[in-house]
Amino acid sequence: MSQSRLPRLRSSSPDRPHIPPTTTMAGSSMSSATATNTLKRKAATQENIAPDHPRKLAAIAEADTNQPQPFRPSKAPPNGGVSRLGKGPPPLTKPRAPALTASTSVNGVRRTTRATSAPPKTAPVRPPARSTSRTATRPGMASANDERFDSIQQQIAKIEAARAADAARLDSELAQERAKRSDLQASHEALSRELTNAKTQELAQRQELFIASDELHTLRQRHEREISEMQADLRRKDRELRDLNEDLRMCQSDLERERDTVKGLKATIAQQATSQLSLTAQFGALQAEKAAVQAEFDRTSGTKANLALELEQARKRIAELEREAREGESVRRKLHNMVQELKGNIRVFVRVRPVLRSDILTSTLSLSSGSIGAISDGTGSPDPEEEARMREEAMAKLAFPDKMDHREIVLRSSSESATGQERKDEWQFAFDRVFEPHSSQAEVFEEISQLAQSCTDGYNVCVFAYGQTGSGKSFTMEGGSSETTAGMIPRAVEQVFRVADELKSKGWQYKMEGQFLEIYNETINDLLGKGEFDKKKHEIKHDPKTSRTTVTDVNVVPLASPTQVRTLLALAQGRRTVAATLMNERSSRSHSVFTLRIRGENTLTGETCEGSLNLVDLAGSERLEKSGAGADRERLKETQNINKSLSALGDVIAALGEKGEGKGDKHIPYRNSKLTYLLQNSLSGNSKTLMFLNLSPLATHVNESLCSLRFATKVNNTTIGTAKKQTKHAA
């Protein structure tokens, strides 16, 4: 705002003294200019204070500044810029009009006018002119002139007094006007500040209005959501009410039924009341009997305590006797092994494998085709009783009469003679140990663990598995993939490593190395070699001084842990020659020989020892008409070489038996086969030798099992001499 919208107040009284217009206008111009500059500076200050706020007060900014606006009465102080929320800015204050002053005209009429800053316009009073003509004075005229002069003098005095009063009054009114002008300027400044505050408050209120509008929109949305949720809750409550009404109806029906039941029970209780009286009498009689029985029980309690004490003592005695029996059995076995070692015989263990589902398929011809397929692929689940019956029919008549030492096996067979009569045969055999079909791998290895441990003492140890095809030789020697089904080879190697670790505290340090060979069609192949079997000619060499057998050009792998041996076994199994026959789905077509050489040195005593552990898995003997190998030229050649090498082994055993009976210097035909020549030191008395005879439990294999038992008996009776310990002492 460049100038005030307040109208200038002018006085309309003609009786006020005249003030020169120059001075008045100059003062008014200076005052107006000063006020205008002040208002311009305030407007600029207000624009600089809030340049970023939008000027949204269109009703005030766009009003006609030329037309004076009426003022609202204010109930608040002019400088009080505090507004109440929602009440708007404080109202503008209405300036007070200047006080009205009373002036008296020349004619004595009092007139009410508005005081202004300009002095009144009054004509100057001039004294009356003296007459120049001298007239003759008349006495009457002289007195009249004197009176008139006196009145004129009085009027002049009054006029001068009035002028002096008017001048004084004019000065006071001028001072009042100046004070009023200062008040008006202060009021104008206050109004400008109030206007600025009003604009600021209006902006704030508009922002609050926008925020309130957003909040109102949010509240409306929330209200709509709440209404929808409440409607959904109402529908759900209606459903629940209907469900509750239905439940109430059902409960009422149940209540009616229960009431009927209660009526029936009350009738029953009435009937039972009479029975209760009779039961009370019976209860009294039973109480008397109870007292008698309690007395009898007290007498028997003492007897029971005595019997319990005697039973505990008897159990302790039985436990001591059982422990002594186990210790005696252990001593007996050790003495038996010692006797066998002193005799120099080859120890023979017999193991009968369990009947498998595939055996039921091949042995039971009365099964239907559907049942055969279900059992063969392992998906069928026949009746347990039917399966047990088929197993019993397929199994040969084997008996194990020695339940204490487990050394005997009895084979029975029944057949028809030419005359049609039933002929029953029975054969009884005795060996160093007989394992029944339910025996586990751990139980089998427990019997040979001490024998396998002997190689750490400097002995040569040989364990070979013999038997017909499909009798379980490879499973006994190599085993399965789990810990419980591990075979003799991995268990023996773990035993050797465990003993070697235990002997470290006594100063022994061992180095171990291993090799894995197979004899296929009288040819030696290296199962630990790389790629295809090479064309190298492997030769067997025996050192008579150290009784050590070596094979040329084979891979000898240093062994550091049993895990490494398992890896080598897996590699060898993948490279070994196998084929399917009618008697065995995975038949070994070669003899495998795993050799573990161990060399020990005692750093404390200087003693050294060197031993070896040979674990041999022989190929199974088979008949061409049963195995079906005659139809295939390659299978036929394999069968002929297998039977030839096993026959050569039988010839060596027979020759050793004749030599042990004292029939002179009998020639031992070791060179008739690569197998017997490789096992020469193990069969000639320089080794602790054990043969595992594996038997098939099937009735269709009785003839082959009988031949194997007879051969094992011959081997068990063969004397090869006492094994010697390969040790050297420090000089």
Side-chain angles (χ1 to χ4, degrees):
M1 294 175 64
S2 60
Q3 60 184 359
S4 175
R5 293 182 299 172
L6 298 176
R8 182 180 299 273
L9 301 178
R10 299 182 182 272
S11 177
S12 60
S13 175
D15 298 334
R16 293 182 180 179
H18 178 71
I19 299 175
T22 303
T23 306
T24 304
M25 294 300 294
S28 177
S29 299
M30 291 177 62
S31 176
S32 176
T34 304
T36 302
N37 293 333
T38 304
L39 293 177
K40 286 183 179 181
R41 285 195 300 271
K42 289 184 179 180
T45 305
Q46 292 174 0
E47 291 178 357
N48 292 332
I49 290 175
D52 297 333
H53 293 283
R55 298 180 61 84
K56 297 182 180 180
L57 301 178
I60 298 176
E62 297 176 1
D64 188 4
T65 57
N66 296 325
Q67 298 294 330
Q69 300 293 330
F71 295 100
R72 293 181 297 176
S74 175
K75 297 181 180 181
N79 295 331
V82 181
S83 65
R84 297 181 183 178
L85 183 59
K87 300 295 184 177
L92 300 176
T93 57
K94 182 178 180 181
R96 292 176 299 176
L100 299 178
T101 56
S103 60
T104 305
S105 63
V106 178
N107 297 325
V109 181
R110 187 174 181 179
R111 185 178 177 185
T112 304
T113 59
R114 186 182 298 271
T116 60
S117 59
K121 297 180 180 180
T122 305
V125 180
R126 296 180 180 180
R130 294 182 180 179
S131 176
T132 56
S133 64
R134 292 184 178 180
T135 61
T137 59
R138 298 176 181 176
M141 291 176 65
S143 60
N145 288 332
D146 290 336
E147 291 178 0
R148 185 179 178 185
F149 179 77
D150 292 334
S151 63
I152 290 171
Q153 288 291 336
Q154 291 177 358
Q155 289 179 1
I156 290 172
K158 290 179 180 179
I159 289 171
E160 289 178 356
R163 288 186 63 182
D166 288 338
R169 186 177 64 254
L170 183 61
D171 291 337
S172 64
E173 289 178 358
L174 182 61
Q176 291 177 0
E177 290 295 331
R178 288 176 180 173
K180 290 177 182 179
R181 187 183 66 179
S182 299
D183 293 340
L184 289 175
Q185 290 179 353
S187 299
H188 184 271
E189 293 176 359
L191 290 174
S192 299
R193 287 194 297 272
E194 289 178 1
L195 180 61
T196 303
N197 293 333
K199 291 181 180 181
T200 305
Q201 290 175 0
E202 183 178 1
L203 290 175
Q205 287 179 354
R206 290 197 179 189
Q207 292 179 355
E208 291 176 359
L209 180 61
F210 294 152
I211 295 173
S213 177
D214 294 339
E215 291 179 354
L216 180 61
H217 181 66
T218 305
L219 288 175
R220 286 178 178 175
Q221 292 180 347
R222 186 173 64 185
H223 181 64
E224 292 176 356
R225 289 196 299 270
E226 291 178 355
I227 290 175
S228 61
E229 291 176 357
M230 292 177 68
Q231 291 176 351
D233 290 340
L234 182 60
R235 291 192 293 271
R236 182 172 55 81
K237 294 294 183 181
D238 292 338
R239 290 194 299 269
E240 292 178 355
L241 181 59
R242 290 194 296 270
D243 295 339
L244 290 175
N245 290 331
E246 182 66 21
D247 294 341
L248 179 60
R249 186 183 62 79
M250 295 179 64
C251 290
Q252 288 177 351
S253 61
D254 293 341
L255 181 60
E256 293 297 330
R257 288 194 298 270
E258 292 297 330
R259 286 176 179 174
D260 296 338
T261 304
V262 168
K263 290 179 181 179
L265 291 175
K266 286 181 178 180
T268 304
I269 290 173
Q271 295 176 0
Q272 295 295 331
T274 56
S275 301
Q276 193 265 344
L277 296 176
S278 60
L279 291 176
T280 303
Q282 294 178 4
F283 178 73
L286 291 175
Q287 286 287 348
E289 292 181 5
K290 177 185 175 183
V293 171
Q294 184 66 32
E296 183 66 22
F297 176 76
D298 293 338
R299 287 193 299 270
T300 56
S301 295
T303 306
K304 179 183 177 181
N306 296 331
L307 292 176
L309 181 60
E310 293 177 359
L311 179 61
E312 184 67 23
Q313 294 176 354
R315 286 178 178 175
K316 290 182 180 179
R317 179 59 181 167
I318 291 172
E320 293 177 358
L321 292 176
E322 288 179 352
R323 185 176 63 256
E324 291 177 359
R326 287 193 296 270
E327 293 176 355
E329 177 66 15
S330 177
V331 172
R332 187 198 63 75
R333 290 185 179 183
K334 289 182 180 179
L335 292 176
H336 173 73
N337 292 335
M338 187 181 299
V339 170
Q340 292 297 323
E341 290 179 2
L342 293 176
K343 288 172 59 179
N345 292 354
I346 300 177
R347 281 180 284 180
V348 177
F349 288 174
V350 178
R351 185 181 189 184
V352 182
R353 70 168 177 84
V355 179
L356 306 177
R357 282 194 171 185
S358 58
D359 299 331
I360 299 176
L361 173 65
T362 56
S363 301
T364 306
L365 301 179
S366 61
L367 287 173
S368 62
S369 59
S371 300
I372 292 175
I375 296 176
S376 62
D377 59 9
T379 59
S381 56
D383 186 14
E385 296 181 358
E386 181 67 18
E387 185 176 355
R389 185 187 62 79
M390 290 188 293
R391 286 179 184 273
E392 186 176 357
E393 292 178 357
M395 189 171 181
K397 296 180 180 180
L398 297 174
F400 308 93
D402 189 2
K403 300 300 181 181
M404 179 65 70
D405 297 334
H406 303 282
R407 296 183 57 189
E408 297 179 359
I409 182 173
V410 177
L411 178 63
R412 298 184 180 92
S413 176
S414 60
S415 61
E416 292 185 2
S417 62
T419 59
Q421 296 179 354
E422 184 180 5
R423 183 179 63 185
K424 295 183 178 181
D425 298 322
E426 180 177 316
W427 298 273
Q428 185 172 0
F429 301 93
F431 300 100
D432 295 283
R433 186 70 163 82
V434 177
F435 296 98
E436 299 181 20
H438 57 78
S439 299
S440 63
Q441 296 279 70
E443 294 176 0
V444 174
F445 179 74
E446 184 180 358
E447 295 294 332
I448 68 170
S449 59
Q450 298 297 327
L451 185 65
Q453 183 179 345
S454 298
C455 65
T456 59
D457 298 332
Y459 289 96
N460 293 328
V461 179
C462 179
V463 179
F464 63 94
Y466 179 86
Q468 70 183 73
T469 181
S471 59
K473 300 182 299 299
S474 297
F475 179 78
T476 299
M477 299 305 294
E478 298 178 4
S481 59
S482 62
E483 292 293 334
T484 57
T485 60
M488 302 303 106
I489 295 178
R491 291 177 184 270
V493 172
E494 290 179 1
Q495 175 79 3
V496 170
F497 274 97
R498 184 165 54 251
V499 172
D501 290 337
E502 292 174 356
L503 293 177
K504 285 183 179 180
S505 60
K506 298 180 180 180
W508 285 96
Q509 298 292 333
Y510 290 94
K511 294 182 180 179
M512 303 178 193
E513 57 186 14
Q515 66 182 25
F516 213 140
L517 309 175
E518 77 165 356
I519 301 176
Y520 175 70
N521 291 340
E522 292 300 314
T523 302
I524 298 177
N525 295 325
D526 186 8
L527 295 179
L528 300 182
K530 298 180 180 179
E532 298 293 334
F533 293 125
D534 52 19
K535 302 301 182 180
K536 295 180 181 179
K537 185 177 180 181
H538 302 286
E539 297 181 357
I540 302 173
K541 294 184 179 181
H542 299 288
D543 188 353
K545 295 182 179 180
T546 60
S547 299
R548 181 176 180 179
T549 301
T550 58
V551 180
T552 60
D553 295 330
V554 296
N555 288 332
V556 180
V557 181
L559 301 178
S561 65
T563 305
Q564 184 181 2
V565 177
R566 288 182 178 271
T567 305
L568 296 179
L569 287 178
L571 175 63
Q573 288 176 357
R575 293 172 60 87
R576 189 178 177 184
T577 305
V578 294
T581 64
L582 296 179
M583 299 183 66
N584 190 3
E585 183 179 346
R586 184 178 173 84
S587 176
S588 300
R589 314 306 295 170
S590 64
H591 310 294
S592 67
V593 181
F594 174 77
T595 303
L596 174 66
R597 294 191 181 93
I598 180 170
R599 177 179 176 80
E601 181 179 359
N602 194 323
T603 57
L604 301 178
T605 62
E607 183 180 2
T608 59
C609 66
E610 185 174 355
S612 64
L613 175 63
N614 295 311
L615 301 172
V616 185
D617 179 16
L618 299 178
S621 61
E622 60 186 45
R623 296 174 185 250
L624 292 177
E625 64 272 11
K626 290 189 176 182
S627 65
D632 190 348
R633 181 177 300 178
E634 185 177 359
R635 300 286 89 80
L636 176 61
K637 182 179 179 181
E638 292 172 352
T639 303
Q640 290 173 349
N641 285 294
I642 290 172
N643 292 336
K644 178 183 177 181
S645 61
L646 294 178
S647 298
L649 179 61
D651 295 339
V652 170
I653 295 297
L656 289 173
E658 293 178 2
K659 183 178 180 180
E661 293 176 358
K663 295 183 179 181
D665 191 5
K666 179 70 176 177
H667 171 68
I668 311 298
Y670 290 113
R671 293 182 178 269
N672 289 352
S673 172
K674 292 288 183 68
L675 174 64
T676 55
Y677 191 54
L678 182 63
L679 299 178
Q680 178 177 347
N681 285 331
S682 299
L683 299 175
S684 61
N686 294 325
S687 174
K688 292 183 178 182
T689 306
L690 170 67
M691 185 183 81
F692 256 111
L693 174 62
N694 293 88
L695 293 180
S696 173
L698 302 180
T700 56
H701 299 163
V702 170
N703 293 330
E704 288 80 1
S705 299
L706 183 59
C707 293
S708 298
L709 288 170
R710 288 171 177 171
F711 178 74
T713 301
K714 185 185 297 184
V715 172
N716 197 22
N717 294 330
T718 300
T719 303
I720 61 176
T722 305
K724 297 180 181 180
K725 188 176 182 180
Q726 307 293 329
T727 59
K728 294 181 180 180
H729 296 277

